[in-house]
Amino acid sequence: MRSPTSFSRSLAPMLVGTLLVSGPAPAADGPDSVPLIPRATLFGNPDRAGVQISPDGTQVSWLAPVEGVLNVWVAPVGDLAAAKPVTEDTDRGIRQYFWMPNSTHLVYLQDRGGDENWRAYSVDLATGDEIDLTPFDGVRATIAHVSRDFPDTLAIGLNDRDPQYHDIHLVNAATGERTLLFENPRFAGVTLDDAMQVRLVSEMNSDGSEATFLVEGEAYAPFDTVPFEDTMGTRSVGLDRKGERLFMVDSRGRDTSALVVKRLSDGAMETIFEGTKSDVAGALVDPITDEVEAVASNYLKPEWTVLDPEMEKDLAYLETVDDGEIGIGSRSLDDSKWIVSYRGDAGPTQYHLYDRTAGTATRLFSSKDALEELPLVPMHGVEIPTRDGLTLPSYVSIPAWSDPDGDGVPDEPLPMVLMVHGGPWARDSWGYNPYHQWFANRGYAVVSPNFRGSTGFGKSFVNAGDGEWADSMHDDLIDAVEWAVGKGIADRDR
């Protein structure tokens, strides 16, 4: 089994995972046979994105443009033609939203002019009324927790009292009523359980380690400490529904991170899955039982380890439905309806509605109709050696006309673009990339190296970038160019 996206436990049915099924794109006959793809087609708004099923399984939502600006649309399941926009943003567009467990309200986040001071807004789907849940200038709102046991209420962090720390408020999405739950004296992290109680808090120590405490009334009892070298690969994911176990991604005592659970009562830890060449990159968790069904890692391409036999059956069927990297992006609270996406490297994402009870999937739409039937190219995962013995998991795309056998090496060296990801604590991954397609369509080879310091490949790899941002990290980029020249991908003079 294969592939991931992210691991989040703010709402169990919103846990995301993916599975890979892919094939090469057909080669073109030559450079003159490839039409120029407009930049607006590659980089413009998607037709649809962020597709979700409502918690009660009766409605489907997605992001789509309204007069060129992304807004949230909602349609009844089985009647997409009745879709209508439920938000009215006319400026920067909406990119983050989620359903409240009551299925009657949506919440979205929006900043002003890119200041990253996010505000949370709720929308009543029956009336269309919108409420600014965090009406404060110069304040950043964070979503601390959403619980199916409190269908109308969400926990929001606000740094209005002290810009350094977020106090936790319980906010009613229907009325906007706000109640202070936890005044934060010094903690960078706050974890709530499904009873909407603050259970764990964390802070950084002066030596770079991270300390976690159990909240016991007004006291904070030491619970865990993560040393500096593991802080990039170890983090809390969230508590189980009973509030008894903490899910964690943990790199302590190993290089690549594992998915573990740690009991709050005595600190006992159980390892569910341990990665080999890459960190844990995603998981599927049953929204009813809280049991982990599958765990993903992502080296050159995502790979799944399926732990639950029922999930094995579901994924085996879904593999037959469409091509691409399967993503289970949203699940109803009773787990009967899933939104399943199929993401490839040479075309738009395809979205399907999976009825788990009936065992059937129905296609909804694609992310961008204009990408269909275009001469897009595959992305090749490669390993690039460095001068000091590291291996860089990297990606190459080249014009289709230059690679008739599809092996990722052109018949003749090409001009090349080296695409360097930001962060540096981030990574490039396999999949559709508009920049790769843009350059390859114009006749360039493209190489995206995951240089040392990139995340997802174990703590020794990410920590190898410490103190090396202008030295060995930069050498990795030079080594990637030399590798491409040596492979006959790049013309040294271009």
Side-chain angles (χ1 to χ4, degrees):
M1 291 297 177
R2 301 160 287 184
S3 176
T5 51
S6 67
F7 187 14
S8 162
R9 283 192 50 81
S10 59
L11 262 182
M14 295 175 67
L15 285 167
V16 178
T18 54
L19 178 81
L20 177 70
V21 188
S22 183
D29 294 330
D32 295 337
S33 68
V34 178
L36 199 68
I37 302 173
R39 291 190 301 273
T41 301
L42 296 172
F43 295 101
N45 279 331
D47 295 334
R48 307 157 197 93
V51 187
Q52 299 179 29
I53 188 77
S54 63
D56 64 5
T58 65
Q59 302 172 85
V60 180
S61 61
W62 61 86
L63 297 173
V66 176
E67 297 184 0
V69 180
L70 287 178
N71 275 274
V72 183
W73 292 62
V74 174
V77 167
D79 189 9
L80 297 186
K84 61 180 181 180
V86 298
T87 59
E88 299 178 343
D89 189 72
T90 59
D91 187 16
R92 291 168 50 79
I94 295 169
R95 287 167 175 80
Q96 303 177 69
Y97 82 98
F98 58 90
W99 285 87
M100 289 297 295
N102 58 21
S103 293
T104 62
H105 289 74
L106 290 169
V107 173
Y108 71 90
L109 297 175
Q110 184 63 287
D111 67 349
R112 297 187 175 186
D115 63 5
E116 298 187 3
N117 287 322
W118 303 99
R119 292 192 183 194
Y121 300 85
S122 71
V123 179
D124 186 323
L125 297 181
T127 65
D129 293 342
E130 181 175 294
I131 300 175
D132 184 348
L133 302 177
T134 56
F136 307 106
D137 292 330
V139 172
R140 176 183 289 189
T142 62
I143 305 303
H145 197 63
V146 180
S147 168
R148 64 191 295 167
D149 297 332
F150 292 79
D152 302 320
T153 302
L154 67 162
I156 297 180
L158 292 172
N159 62 342
D160 55 329
R161 180 185 57 84
D162 185 337
Q164 294 185 86
Y165 306 112
H166 283 74
D167 298 332
I168 306 301
H169 302 256
L170 296 181
V171 184
N172 187 294
T175 67
E177 180 182 358
R178 187 173 54 256
T179 304
L180 178 65
L181 175 68
F182 176 72
E183 186 172 295
N184 187 352
R186 67 178 194 268
F187 299 108
V190 179
T191 300
L192 285 75
D193 61 18
D194 275 356
M196 288 299 197
Q197 297 298 312
V198 175
R199 300 292 302 281
L200 296 161
V201 290
S202 60
E203 64 179 347
M204 299 297 294
N205 295 321
S206 59
D207 62 359
S209 62
E210 182 179 26
T212 301
F213 304 88
L214 280 170
V215 178
E216 299 178 344
E218 300 296 320
Y220 305 110
F223 177 70
D224 203 357
T225 300
V226 178
F228 168 73
E229 60 268 23
D230 287 292
T231 53
M232 292 292 290
T234 302
R235 67 186 185 277
S236 299
V237 176
L239 293 164
D240 67 5
R241 282 191 43 75
K242 294 181 180 179
E244 297 174 350
R245 301 179 300 162
L246 177 68
F247 287 91
M248 299 180 66
V249 173
D250 198 322
S251 65
R252 287 172 291 183
R254 52 177 67 90
D255 186 39
T256 54
S257 65
L259 178 63
V260 305
V261 289
K262 187 168 184 175
R263 283 205 304 260
L264 268 59
S265 59
D266 57 10
M269 188 178 294
E270 175 191 355
T271 298
I272 297 175
F273 173 83
E274 183 172 355
T276 53
K277 299 182 74 173
S278 65
D279 295 328
V280 168
L284 293 172
V285 175
D286 189 307
I288 299 173
T289 68
D290 243 1
E291 293 303 312
V292 177
E293 299 166 310
V295 185
S297 56
N298 185 5
Y299 185 60
L300 291 178
K301 287 186 177 180
E303 299 198 3
W304 276 101
T305 298
V306 181
L307 307 178
D308 179 79
E310 290 302 314
M311 179 60 67
E312 185 89 49
K313 296 175 185 176
D314 291 313
L315 295 180
Y317 165 72
L318 292 173
E319 282 186 294
T320 70
V321 172
D322 208 334
D323 294 329
E325 181 187 342
I326 297 176
I328 302 171
S330 178
R331 301 162 75 168
S332 61
L333 288 180
D334 66 1
D335 211 24
S336 66
K337 302 287 194 306
W338 297 359
I339 298 296
V340 181
S341 61
Y342 292 82
R343 178 175 178 262
D345 54 350
T349 299
Q350 305 291 336
Y351 293 100
H352 293 252
L353 175 66
Y354 176 48
D355 185 324
R356 197 180 191 193
T357 304
T360 58
T362 304
R363 184 181 181 275
L364 299 174
F365 38 59
S366 79
S367 60
K368 196 163 193 174
D369 297 339
L371 294 179
E372 303 277 7
E373 307 304 326
L374 288 179
L376 302 178
V377 300
M379 177 182 281
H380 301 272
V382 298
E383 294 182 318
I384 297 176
T386 69
R387 65 192 68 182
D388 59 352
L390 289 183
T391 298
L392 310 180
S394 305
Y395 301 95
V396 174
S397 297
I398 62 175
W401 55 263
S402 71
D403 184 23
D405 61 2
D407 66 352
V409 178
D411 287 346
E412 296 180 0
L414 297 166
M416 191 190 85
V417 174
L418 184 75
M419 290 286 297
V420 185
H421 71 68
W425 296 315
R427 63 161 293 174
D428 282 311
S429 297
W430 180 89
Y432 171 78
N433 184 309
Y435 289 96
H436 276 237
Q437 299 296 341
W438 179 37
F439 288 123
N441 180 249
R442 268 70 173 166
Y444 295 88
V446 191
V447 174
S448 291
N450 281 306
F451 45 84
R452 72 191 68 205
S454 300
T455 54
F457 306 104
K459 68 184 178 187
S460 60
F461 190 83
V462 70
N463 291 339
D466 293 349
E468 299 291 335
W469 288 21
D471 196 356
S472 296
M473 188 183 287
H474 186 70
D475 289 343
D476 290 346
L477 305 180
I478 304 300
D479 292 345
V481 173
E482 292 297 329
W483 173 88
V485 171
K487 285 287 186 180
I489 294 172
D491 180 339
R492 183 180 296 279
D493 295 328
R494 295 187 293 167

